[in-house]
Amino acid sequence: MDTRLTVLGSDEAKAMFAEIGKQAPFALALTLNGLANGTQQETKREVRERFTLRRPDFVLNTIYRKPGEDVATKSKPEAGVRIDDRRDFLAKFEAGGVKQNTDGHRIAIPVDVRRNKNEIITTANRPKALLAKPRIALVGNIIRQAIGRGRAATTRVLYMLKPSVKIPDRLSMRENAEKVLSNDFDRIAGDAIDRALNTARK
């Protein structure tokens, strides 16, 4: 999957900076990079809110701007944000879709399984580890735990097993780019033009 996101094309933006003369390419590059940085930060903020992260820094660092490719310059008026294609587990949440296990096994969906204080299911409470414990068994499409004995006995459903699950499109990188462009363009472009004019050679 191509997870790169271009935040602003060159033709439209060039016209906006035409009035400042020779410094226009520099101001344009600064603006594009500012918009891309804003998109990156907004996407990271939403990931923190929408996902339970086992390793927050590791996951958030996959939303990045690749040096030399995603950074706008005077001669390359294009900036981007992408998901690291070496660790692209977040990419599937941009377009959404259906997840199917490629080895033929069913996918375990947590129902009533113990989590830690960060709402993360630890290794000891994942299906393979649980099935090695007494009174926990796989029955049909359910991993269940027997609790109590005799008339007081009950059953707790720990996991449901399904052949596939729907992946929601909740990463919203494109929507974040549009939000930053709509809300912050004037401020970012204004700062860029000021910097470009202030650093112009006299």
Side-chain angles (χ1 to χ4, degrees):
M1 176 185 293
D2 182 4
T3 56
R4 186 164 182 269
L5 173 66
T6 299
V7 297
L8 191 61
S10 62
D11 293 339
E12 177 184 357
K14 280 182 178 179
M16 299 179 183
F17 293 91
E19 295 182 2
I20 65 171
K22 293 181 179 180
Q23 287 299 91
F26 181 43
L28 174 59
L30 291 174
T31 300
L32 291 170
N33 287 324
L35 292 170
N37 287 336
T39 299
Q40 181 185 31
Q41 294 307 312
E42 180 65 14
T43 301
K44 287 185 176 183
R45 184 191 67 77
E46 290 196 350
V47 166
R48 289 190 191 97
E49 291 183 355
R50 298 179 181 183
F51 296 85
T52 300
L53 304 178
R54 181 175 292 109
R55 300 169 61 189
D57 290 342
F58 178 84
V59 174
L60 295 174
N61 285 340
T62 67
I63 304 168
Y64 83 121
R65 301 181 60 211
K66 188 172 184 178
E69 293 189 33
D70 296 334
V71 179
T73 64
K74 294 180 183 179
S75 60
K76 185 178 75 68
E78 182 179 277
V81 182
R82 71 175 71 201
I83 297 172
D84 191 336
D85 55 11
R86 297 166 298 176
R87 301 177 291 180
D88 65 350
F89 43 85
L90 278 178
K92 58 181 174 288
F93 291 103
E94 177 67 10
V98 176
K99 176 182 178 180
Q100 292 180 309
N101 204 322
T102 55
D103 61 7
H105 294 116
R106 291 166 292 180
I107 299 170
I109 311 299
V111 177
D112 186 13
V113 64
R114 184 175 298 173
R115 303 169 187 259
N116 64 18
K117 63 181 180 180
N118 295 317
E119 289 298 309
I120 293 172
I121 298 173
T122 62
T123 301
N125 287 291
R126 294 178 188 170
K128 185 176 181 180
L130 289 175
L131 287 171
K133 297 180 180 180
R135 311 203 75 194
I136 296 178
L138 172 61
V139 181
N141 291 323
I142 296 173
I143 296 177
R144 68 184 189 185
Q145 179 181 22
I147 300 173
R149 299 182 184 279
R151 293 182 178 181
T154 60
T155 298
R156 182 170 72 185
V157 176
L158 303 175
Y159 287 91
M160 294 285 295
L161 302 183
K162 296 184 177 183
S164 63
V165 293
K166 183 178 180 180
I167 300 173
D169 53 343
R170 56 178 177 166
L171 188 56
S172 305
M173 288 183 71
R174 295 189 182 278
E175 289 83 353
N176 291 337
E178 293 171 359
K179 184 191 306 182
V180 171
L181 182 61
S182 175
N183 295 340
D184 300 330
F185 177 79
D186 290 346
R187 175 183 57 80
I188 292 173
D191 291 346
I193 290 171
D194 287 344
R195 180 180 172 189
L197 292 176
N198 290 333
T199 57
R201 292 182 180 180
K202 306 299 183 181

Short mmCIF file of all heavy atoms in Angstrom, two decimals, residues 132-189:
data_model
loop_
_atom_site.label_atom_id
_atom_site.label_comp_id
_atom_site.label_asym_id
_atom_site.label_seq_id
_atom_site.Cartn_x
_atom_site.Cartn_y
_atom_site.Cartn_z
N ALA A 132 -3.55 -23.01 27.62
CA ALA A 132 -2.66 -23.93 28.35
C ALA A 132 -3.04 -24.01 29.82
O ALA A 132 -2.48 -24.81 30.57
CB ALA A 132 -1.21 -23.47 28.20
N LYS A 133 -4.00 -23.20 30.25
CA LYS A 133 -4.40 -23.16 31.65
C LYS A 133 -5.61 -24.06 31.90
O LYS A 133 -6.42 -24.28 31.00
CB LYS A 133 -4.73 -21.72 32.06
CG LYS A 133 -3.54 -20.77 31.97
CD LYS A 133 -3.94 -19.36 32.39
CE LYS A 133 -2.75 -18.41 32.30
NZ LYS A 133 -3.11 -17.02 32.71
N PRO A 134 -5.74 -24.57 33.12
CA PRO A 134 -6.90 -25.42 33.43
C PRO A 134 -8.19 -24.62 33.42
O PRO A 134 -8.20 -23.41 33.66
CB PRO A 134 -6.58 -25.93 34.84
CG PRO A 134 -5.63 -24.92 35.41
CD PRO A 134 -4.81 -24.43 34.25
N ARG A 135 -9.27 -25.30 33.07
CA ARG A 135 -10.63 -24.76 33.07
C ARG A 135 -10.85 -23.71 31.97
O ARG A 135 -11.86 -23.00 31.98
CB ARG A 135 -11.00 -24.18 34.44
CG ARG A 135 -10.69 -25.12 35.61
CD ARG A 135 -11.53 -24.79 36.82
NE ARG A 135 -12.91 -25.24 36.63
CZ ARG A 135 -13.92 -24.85 37.40
NH1 ARG A 135 -13.72 -23.97 38.37
NH2 ARG A 135 -15.14 -25.32 37.18
N ILE A 136 -9.92 -23.59 31.06
CA ILE A 136 -10.11 -22.73 29.88
C ILE A 136 -10.04 -23.62 28.66
O ILE A 136 -9.10 -24.41 28.51
CB ILE A 136 -9.04 -21.62 29.81
CG1 ILE A 136 -9.19 -20.68 31.02
CG2 ILE A 136 -9.15 -20.85 28.51
CD1 ILE A 136 -8.17 -19.57 31.08
N ALA A 137 -11.02 -23.50 27.78
CA ALA A 137 -11.08 -24.41 26.63
C ALA A 137 -11.64 -23.70 25.41
O ALA A 137 -12.35 -22.70 25.52
CB ALA A 137 -11.94 -25.61 26.97
N LEU A 138 -11.29 -24.24 24.25
CA LEU A 138 -11.86 -23.79 22.98
C LEU A 138 -13.07 -24.65 22.67
O LEU A 138 -12.95 -25.87 22.51
CB LEU A 138 -10.82 -23.90 21.87
CG LEU A 138 -11.31 -23.63 20.45
CD1 LEU A 138 -11.86 -22.21 20.31
CD2 LEU A 138 -10.19 -23.87 19.44
N VAL A 139 -14.23 -24.05 22.60
CA VAL A 139 -15.46 -24.77 22.29
C VAL A 139 -16.10 -24.09 21.08
O VAL A 139 -16.60 -22.97 21.18
CB VAL A 139 -16.43 -24.75 23.48
CG1 VAL A 139 -17.70 -25.52 23.13
CG2 VAL A 139 -15.77 -25.34 24.72
N GLY A 140 -16.05 -24.75 19.93
CA GLY A 140 -16.56 -24.14 18.71
C GLY A 140 -15.78 -22.90 18.35
O GLY A 140 -14.57 -22.95 18.13
N ASN A 141 -16.45 -21.77 18.32
CA ASN A 141 -15.80 -20.49 17.98
C ASN A 141 -15.56 -19.62 19.22
O ASN A 141 -15.40 -18.41 19.10
CB ASN A 141 -16.65 -19.72 16.98
CG ASN A 141 -16.68 -20.40 15.62
OD1 ASN A 141 -15.68 -20.96 15.18
ND2 ASN A 141 -17.84 -20.35 14.97
N ILE A 142 -15.52 -20.26 20.39
CA ILE A 142 -15.40 -19.50 21.63
C ILE A 142 -14.28 -20.08 22.50
O ILE A 142 -14.18 -21.29 22.66
CB ILE A 142 -16.73 -19.54 22.44
CG1 ILE A 142 -17.84 -18.85 21.65
CG2 ILE A 142 -16.55 -18.90 23.80
CD1 ILE A 142 -19.20 -19.00 22.29
N ILE A 143 -13.47 -19.20 23.05
CA ILE A 143 -12.54 -19.60 24.11
C ILE A 143 -13.21 -19.18 25.41
O ILE A 143 -13.48 -17.99 25.63
CB ILE A 143 -11.17 -18.91 23.97
CG1 ILE A 143 -10.49 -19.36 22.67
CG2 ILE A 143 -10.27 -19.25 25.17
CD1 ILE A 143 -9.15 -18.66 22.42
N ARG A 144 -13.51 -20.16 26.25
CA ARG A 144 -14.28 -19.84 27.45
C ARG A 144 -13.60 -20.39 28.69
O ARG A 144 -12.81 -21.33 28.64
CB ARG A 144 -15.69 -20.38 27.34
CG ARG A 144 -15.78 -21.89 27.36
CD ARG A 144 -17.21 -22.34 27.14
NE ARG A 144 -17.37 -23.78 27.37
CZ ARG A 144 -18.49 -24.45 27.16
NH1 ARG A 144 -19.56 -23.81 26.72
NH2 ARG A 144 -18.56 -25.75 27.41
N GLN A 145 -13.95 -19.78 29.81
CA GLN A 145 -13.38 -20.17 31.10
C GLN A 145 -14.49 -20.62 32.03
O GLN A 145 -15.50 -19.91 32.20
CB GLN A 145 -12.62 -19.00 31.72
CG GLN A 145 -12.01 -19.29 33.08
CD GLN A 145 -11.30 -18.08 33.66
OE1 GLN A 145 -11.57 -16.95 33.28
NE2 GLN A 145 -10.36 -18.33 34.57
N ALA A 146 -14.32 -21.79 32.63
CA ALA A 146 -15.29 -22.28 33.61
C ALA A 146 -14.96 -21.66 34.96
O ALA A 146 -13.83 -21.68 35.43
CB ALA A 146 -15.22 -23.80 33.70
N ILE A 147 -15.97 -21.09 35.61
CA ILE A 147 -15.79 -20.42 36.90
C ILE A 147 -16.74 -21.05 37.92
O ILE A 147 -17.93 -21.17 37.68
CB ILE A 147 -16.08 -18.91 36.78
CG1 ILE A 147 -15.14 -18.28 35.75
CG2 ILE A 147 -15.93 -18.22 38.13
CD1 ILE A 147 -15.46 -16.84 35.45
N GLY A 148 -16.19 -21.42 39.06
CA GLY A 148 -17.01 -22.02 40.12
C GLY A 148 -17.37 -23.47 39.81
O GLY A 148 -17.05 -24.01 38.75
N ARG A 149 -18.09 -24.08 40.75
CA ARG A 149 -18.48 -25.47 40.59
C ARG A 149 -19.91 -25.68 41.08
O ARG A 149 -20.46 -24.85 41.80
CB ARG A 149 -17.53 -26.39 41.37
CG ARG A 149 -16.08 -26.30 40.90
CD ARG A 149 -15.17 -27.26 41.66
NE ARG A 149 -13.78 -27.10 41.27
CZ ARG A 149 -13.23 -27.62 40.19
NH1 ARG A 149 -13.97 -28.37 39.37
NH2 ARG A 149 -11.95 -27.42 39.91
N GLY A 150 -20.48 -26.77 40.65
CA GLY A 150 -21.83 -27.10 41.08
C GLY A 150 -22.85 -26.10 40.58
O GLY A 150 -22.76 -25.58 39.46
N ARG A 151 -23.84 -25.80 41.39
CA ARG A 151 -24.91 -24.89 40.98
C ARG A 151 -24.41 -23.46 40.77
O ARG A 151 -25.05 -22.68 40.06
CB ARG A 151 -26.02 -24.90 42.02
CG ARG A 151 -26.76 -26.22 42.11
CD ARG A 151 -27.89 -26.14 43.12
NE ARG A 151 -28.63 -27.40 43.19
CZ ARG A 151 -29.68 -27.59 43.97
NH1 ARG A 151 -30.09 -26.60 44.79
NH2 ARG A 151 -30.31 -28.76 43.99
N ALA A 152 -23.30 -23.13 41.40
CA ALA A 152 -22.76 -21.78 41.28
C ALA A 152 -21.85 -21.62 40.05
O ALA A 152 -21.32 -20.54 39.81
CB ALA A 152 -21.98 -21.41 42.54
N ALA A 153 -21.68 -22.69 39.30
CA ALA A 153 -20.76 -22.64 38.16
C ALA A 153 -21.28 -21.71 37.06
O ALA A 153 -22.48 -21.68 36.76
CB ALA A 153 -20.56 -24.04 37.60
N THR A 154 -20.38 -20.94 36.49
CA THR A 154 -20.70 -20.06 35.36
C THR A 154 -19.60 -20.17 34.33
O THR A 154 -18.55 -20.79 34.57
CB THR A 154 -20.83 -18.59 35.81
OG1 THR A 154 -19.58 -18.17 36.38
CG2 THR A 154 -21.94 -18.41 36.82
N THR A 155 -19.84 -19.56 33.20
CA THR A 155 -18.85 -19.57 32.12
C THR A 155 -18.59 -18.15 31.66
O THR A 155 -19.53 -17.37 31.48
CB THR A 155 -19.35 -20.41 30.93
OG1 THR A 155 -19.53 -21.76 31.35
CG2 THR A 155 -18.35 -20.37 29.79
N ARG A 156 -17.33 -17.82 31.48
CA ARG A 156 -16.97 -16.50 30.97
C ARG A 156 -16.38 -16.66 29.58
O ARG A 156 -15.47 -17.47 29.37
CB ARG A 156 -15.95 -15.82 31.89
CG ARG A 156 -15.60 -14.41 31.41
CD ARG A 156 -14.79 -13.67 32.46
NE ARG A 156 -13.44 -14.19 32.57
CZ ARG A 156 -12.56 -13.77 33.48
NH1 ARG A 156 -12.93 -12.87 34.39
NH2 ARG A 156 -11.35 -14.28 33.52
N VAL A 157 -16.91 -15.90 28.62
CA VAL A 157 -16.38 -15.94 27.25
C VAL A 157 -15.20 -14.98 27.18
O VAL A 157 -15.34 -13.77 27.40
CB VAL A 157 -17.47 -15.53 26.24
CG1 VAL A 157 -16.87 -15.47 24.83
CG2 VAL A 157 -18.64 -16.50 26.28
N LEU A 158 -14.04 -15.52 26.87
CA LEU A 158 -12.83 -14.72 26.81
C LEU A 158 -12.59 -14.17 25.39
O LEU A 158 -12.26 -13.00 25.23
CB LEU A 158 -11.62 -15.56 27.24
CG LEU A 158 -11.72 -16.18 28.65
CD1 LEU A 158 -10.53 -17.08 28.90
CD2 LEU A 158 -11.81 -15.09 29.70
N TYR A 159 -12.76 -15.02 24.40
CA TYR A 159 -12.54 -14.62 23.01
C TYR A 159 -13.59 -15.25 22.11
O TYR A 159 -14.06 -16.36 22.37
CB TYR A 159 -11.17 -15.09 22.50
CG TYR A 159 -9.98 -14.34 23.04
CD1 TYR A 159 -9.33 -14.78 24.19
CD2 TYR A 159 -9.48 -13.22 22.39
CE1 TYR A 159 -8.22 -14.12 24.69
CE2 TYR A 159 -8.37 -12.55 22.87
CZ TYR A 159 -7.75 -13.00 24.02
OH TYR A 159 -6.64 -12.33 24.50
N MET A 160 -13.93 -14.54 21.05
CA MET A 160 -14.69 -15.11 19.93
C MET A 160 -13.73 -15.28 18.77
O MET A 160 -12.88 -14.40 18.52
CB MET A 160 -15.82 -14.16 19.52
CG MET A 160 -16.90 -13.97 20.56
SD MET A 160 -18.01 -15.39 20.67
CE MET A 160 -18.79 -15.36 19.05
N LEU A 161 -13.84 -16.37 18.05
CA LEU A 161 -12.98 -16.63 16.90
C LEU A 161 -13.77 -16.44 15.61
O LEU A 161 -14.85 -17.01 15.46
CB LEU A 161 -12.41 -18.05 16.97
CG LEU A 161 -11.60 -18.38 18.23
CD1 LEU A 161 -11.04 -19.79 18.14
CD2 LEU A 161 -10.47 -17.39 18.45
N LYS A 162 -13.24 -15.62 14.72
CA LYS A 162 -13.93 -15.34 13.47
C LYS A 162 -12.97 -15.51 12.29
O LYS A 162 -11.77 -15.28 12.43
CB LYS A 162 -14.49 -13.91 13.47
CG LYS A 162 -15.55 -13.68 14.53
CD LYS A 162 -16.14 -12.28 14.42
CE LYS A 162 -17.25 -12.06 15.43
NZ LYS A 162 -17.87 -10.71 15.28
N PRO A 163 -13.50 -15.87 11.12
CA PRO A 163 -12.62 -16.04 9.95
C PRO A 163 -12.08 -14.72 9.42
O PRO A 163 -11.04 -14.68 8.78
CB PRO A 163 -13.53 -16.72 8.92
CG PRO A 163 -14.92 -16.34 9.35
CD PRO A 163 -14.88 -16.26 10.84
N SER A 164 -12.80 -13.61 9.70
CA SER A 164 -12.35 -12.30 9.24
C SER A 164 -12.97 -11.22 10.12
O SER A 164 -13.97 -11.46 10.79
CB SER A 164 -12.74 -12.07 7.78
OG SER A 164 -14.15 -12.07 7.63
N VAL A 165 -12.35 -10.06 10.11
CA VAL A 165 -12.90 -8.91 10.86
C VAL A 165 -12.79 -7.66 9.99
O VAL A 165 -11.90 -7.54 9.15
CB VAL A 165 -12.16 -8.68 12.19
CG1 VAL A 165 -12.40 -9.83 13.15
CG2 VAL A 165 -10.67 -8.47 11.96
N LYS A 166 -13.69 -6.74 10.22
CA LYS A 166 -13.67 -5.48 9.48
C LYS A 166 -12.65 -4.53 10.10
O LYS A 166 -12.59 -4.37 11.32
CB LYS A 166 -15.06 -4.83 9.49
CG LYS A 166 -15.13 -3.55 8.67
CD LYS A 166 -16.54 -2.97 8.67
CE LYS A 166 -16.59 -1.69 7.84
NZ LYS A 166 -17.96 -1.11 7.84
N ILE A 167 -11.85 -3.90 9.25
CA ILE A 167 -10.88 -2.91 9.70
C ILE A 167 -11.48 -1.53 9.46
O ILE A 167 -11.76 -1.15 8.32
CB ILE A 167 -9.56 -3.03 8.92
CG1 ILE A 167 -8.96 -4.42 9.13
CG2 ILE A 167 -8.57 -1.96 9.37
CD1 ILE A 167 -7.75 -4.69 8.26
N PRO A 168 -11.70 -0.74 10.51
CA PRO A 168 -12.28 0.60 10.33
C PRO A 168 -11.29 1.57 9.71
O PRO A 168 -10.08 1.45 9.90
CB PRO A 168 -12.63 1.02 11.76
CG PRO A 168 -11.65 0.27 12.61
CD PRO A 168 -11.42 -1.04 11.93
N ASP A 169 -11.79 2.54 8.95
CA ASP A 169 -10.92 3.55 8.34
C ASP A 169 -10.82 4.73 9.31
O ASP A 169 -11.43 5.77 9.11
CB ASP A 169 -11.46 4.00 6.98
CG ASP A 169 -12.90 4.45 7.04
OD1 ASP A 169 -13.58 4.14 8.03
OD2 ASP A 169 -13.34 5.14 6.11
N ARG A 170 -10.03 4.56 10.36
CA ARG A 170 -9.99 5.57 11.41
C ARG A 170 -8.64 6.24 11.57
O ARG A 170 -8.40 6.90 12.58
CB ARG A 170 -10.42 4.96 12.74
CG ARG A 170 -9.63 3.74 13.19
CD ARG A 170 -10.13 3.27 14.55
NE ARG A 170 -9.45 2.05 14.97
CZ ARG A 170 -9.49 1.59 16.22
NH1 ARG A 170 -10.15 2.25 17.14
NH2 ARG A 170 -8.86 0.49 16.55
N LEU A 171 -7.75 6.11 10.61
CA LEU A 171 -6.47 6.81 10.70
C LEU A 171 -6.62 8.26 10.25
O LEU A 171 -6.03 9.17 10.82
CB LEU A 171 -5.41 6.10 9.87
CG LEU A 171 -3.98 6.62 10.01
CD1 LEU A 171 -3.54 6.60 11.47
CD2 LEU A 171 -3.02 5.80 9.17
N SER A 172 -7.39 8.49 9.16
CA SER A 172 -7.81 9.84 8.74
C SER A 172 -6.67 10.78 8.37
O SER A 172 -6.71 11.97 8.64
CB SER A 172 -8.65 10.51 9.85
OG SER A 172 -9.75 9.71 10.21
N MET A 173 -5.64 10.28 7.72
CA MET A 173 -4.53 11.15 7.34
C MET A 173 -4.97 12.21 6.33
O MET A 173 -4.61 13.38 6.44
CB MET A 173 -3.38 10.33 6.77
CG MET A 173 -2.64 9.52 7.82
SD MET A 173 -1.23 8.62 7.14
CE MET A 173 -0.09 9.96 6.82
N ARG A 174 -5.77 11.82 5.37
CA ARG A 174 -6.21 12.78 4.36
C ARG A 174 -7.12 13.85 4.98
O ARG A 174 -7.00 15.04 4.67
CB ARG A 174 -6.93 12.07 3.21
CG ARG A 174 -6.00 11.15 2.44
CD ARG A 174 -6.64 10.60 1.19
NE ARG A 174 -5.72 9.69 0.53
CZ ARG A 174 -4.73 10.08 -0.27
NH1 ARG A 174 -4.54 11.36 -0.50
NH2 ARG A 174 -3.92 9.20 -0.82
N GLU A 175 -8.02 13.40 5.85
CA GLU A 175 -8.88 14.38 6.52
C GLU A 175 -8.06 15.33 7.39
O GLU A 175 -8.38 16.52 7.49
CB GLU A 175 -9.92 13.64 7.38
CG GLU A 175 -10.99 12.92 6.58
CD GLU A 175 -10.55 11.55 6.11
OE1 GLU A 175 -9.36 11.19 6.27
OE2 GLU A 175 -11.40 10.82 5.56
N ASN A 176 -7.01 14.81 8.02
CA ASN A 176 -6.16 15.67 8.85
C ASN A 176 -5.44 16.71 8.00
O ASN A 176 -5.28 17.86 8.41
CB ASN A 176 -5.14 14.81 9.61
CG ASN A 176 -5.79 13.97 10.68
OD1 ASN A 176 -6.88 14.28 11.16
ND2 ASN A 176 -5.14 12.89 11.06
N ALA A 177 -4.99 16.30 6.80
CA ALA A 177 -4.32 17.25 5.91
C ALA A 177 -5.28 18.36 5.50
O ALA A 177 -4.91 19.55 5.49
CB ALA A 177 -3.79 16.53 4.67
N GLU A 178 -6.52 17.99 5.19
CA GLU A 178 -7.52 18.99 4.81
C GLU A 178 -7.85 19.92 5.98
O GLU A 178 -8.04 21.12 5.80
CB GLU A 178 -8.78 18.28 4.32
CG GLU A 178 -8.57 17.53 3.00
CD GLU A 178 -9.76 16.66 2.64
OE1 GLU A 178 -10.74 16.64 3.42
OE2 GLU A 178 -9.72 16.02 1.57
N LYS A 179 -7.90 19.36 7.20
CA LYS A 179 -8.19 20.16 8.39
C LYS A 179 -7.08 21.18 8.64
O LYS A 179 -7.35 22.36 8.91
CB LYS A 179 -8.32 19.23 9.60
CG LYS A 179 -8.71 19.94 10.89
CD LYS A 179 -8.56 19.04 12.11
CE LYS A 179 -9.31 17.74 11.94
NZ LYS A 179 -9.19 16.89 13.17
N VAL A 180 -5.83 20.74 8.55
CA VAL A 180 -4.70 21.64 8.77
C VAL A 180 -4.67 22.71 7.68
O VAL A 180 -4.43 23.90 7.97
CB VAL A 180 -3.37 20.85 8.79
CG1 VAL A 180 -2.17 21.80 8.81
CG2 VAL A 180 -3.33 19.94 10.02
N LEU A 181 -4.93 22.32 6.44
CA LEU A 181 -4.94 23.28 5.34
C LEU A 181 -6.02 24.33 5.56
O LEU A 181 -5.79 25.53 5.36
CB LEU A 181 -5.18 22.54 4.02
CG LEU A 181 -5.17 23.39 2.74
CD1 LEU A 181 -3.83 24.07 2.56
CD2 LEU A 181 -5.51 22.53 1.53
N SER A 182 -7.20 23.90 6.00
CA SER A 182 -8.31 24.82 6.20
C SER A 182 -8.10 25.73 7.41
O SER A 182 -8.37 26.93 7.35
CB SER A 182 -9.60 24.02 6.38
OG SER A 182 -10.69 24.86 6.69
N ASN A 183 -7.59 25.16 8.50
CA ASN A 183 -7.50 25.92 9.76
C ASN A 183 -6.20 26.72 9.92
O ASN A 183 -6.21 27.77 10.56
CB ASN A 183 -7.63 24.97 10.96
CG ASN A 183 -8.98 24.31 11.03
OD1 ASN A 183 -9.96 24.78 10.45
ND2 ASN A 183 -9.06 23.20 11.75
N ASP A 184 -5.12 26.23 9.34
CA ASP A 184 -3.82 26.81 9.67
C ASP A 184 -3.07 27.41 8.49
O ASP A 184 -1.97 27.93 8.66
CB ASP A 184 -2.93 25.73 10.31
CG ASP A 184 -3.53 25.17 11.59
OD1 ASP A 184 -4.25 25.92 12.27
OD2 ASP A 184 -3.28 23.99 11.90
N PHE A 185 -3.65 27.33 7.28
CA PHE A 185 -2.90 27.79 6.11
C PHE A 185 -2.52 29.27 6.23
O PHE A 185 -1.37 29.64 5.98
CB PHE A 185 -3.71 27.57 4.83
CG PHE A 185 -3.00 28.10 3.61
CD1 PHE A 185 -1.98 27.39 3.01
CD2 PHE A 185 -3.36 29.34 3.06
CE1 PHE A 185 -1.33 27.88 1.89
CE2 PHE A 185 -2.71 29.83 1.95
CZ PHE A 185 -1.70 29.11 1.36
N ASP A 186 -3.46 30.13 6.60
CA ASP A 186 -3.17 31.56 6.65
C ASP A 186 -2.02 31.86 7.61
O ASP A 186 -1.11 32.65 7.30
CB ASP A 186 -4.41 32.34 7.08
CG ASP A 186 -5.48 32.36 5.99
OD1 ASP A 186 -5.16 32.00 4.84
OD2 ASP A 186 -6.63 32.72 6.30
N ARG A 187 -2.04 31.23 8.79
CA ARG A 187 -0.99 31.48 9.77
C ARG A 187 0.36 30.95 9.30
O ARG A 187 1.37 31.65 9.36
CB ARG A 187 -1.35 30.80 11.10
CG ARG A 187 -0.26 30.89 12.16
CD ARG A 187 -0.65 30.15 13.42
NE ARG A 187 -0.96 28.75 13.19
CZ ARG A 187 -0.02 27.80 13.06
NH1 ARG A 187 1.27 28.11 13.11
NH2 ARG A 187 -0.38 26.54 12.86
N ILE A 188 0.36 29.72 8.78
CA ILE A 188 1.62 29.11 8.34
C ILE A 188 2.20 29.85 7.14
O ILE A 188 3.40 30.14 7.09
CB ILE A 188 1.39 27.62 8.01
CG1 ILE A 188 1.08 26.83 9.29
CG2 ILE A 188 2.61 27.02 7.31
CD1 ILE A 188 0.68 25.40 9.06
N ALA A 189 1.33 30.19 6.18
CA ALA A 189 1.80 30.90 5.00
C ALA A 189 2.29 32.31 5.37
O ALA A 189 3.30 32.79 4.84
CB ALA A 189 0.70 30.99 3.96
#
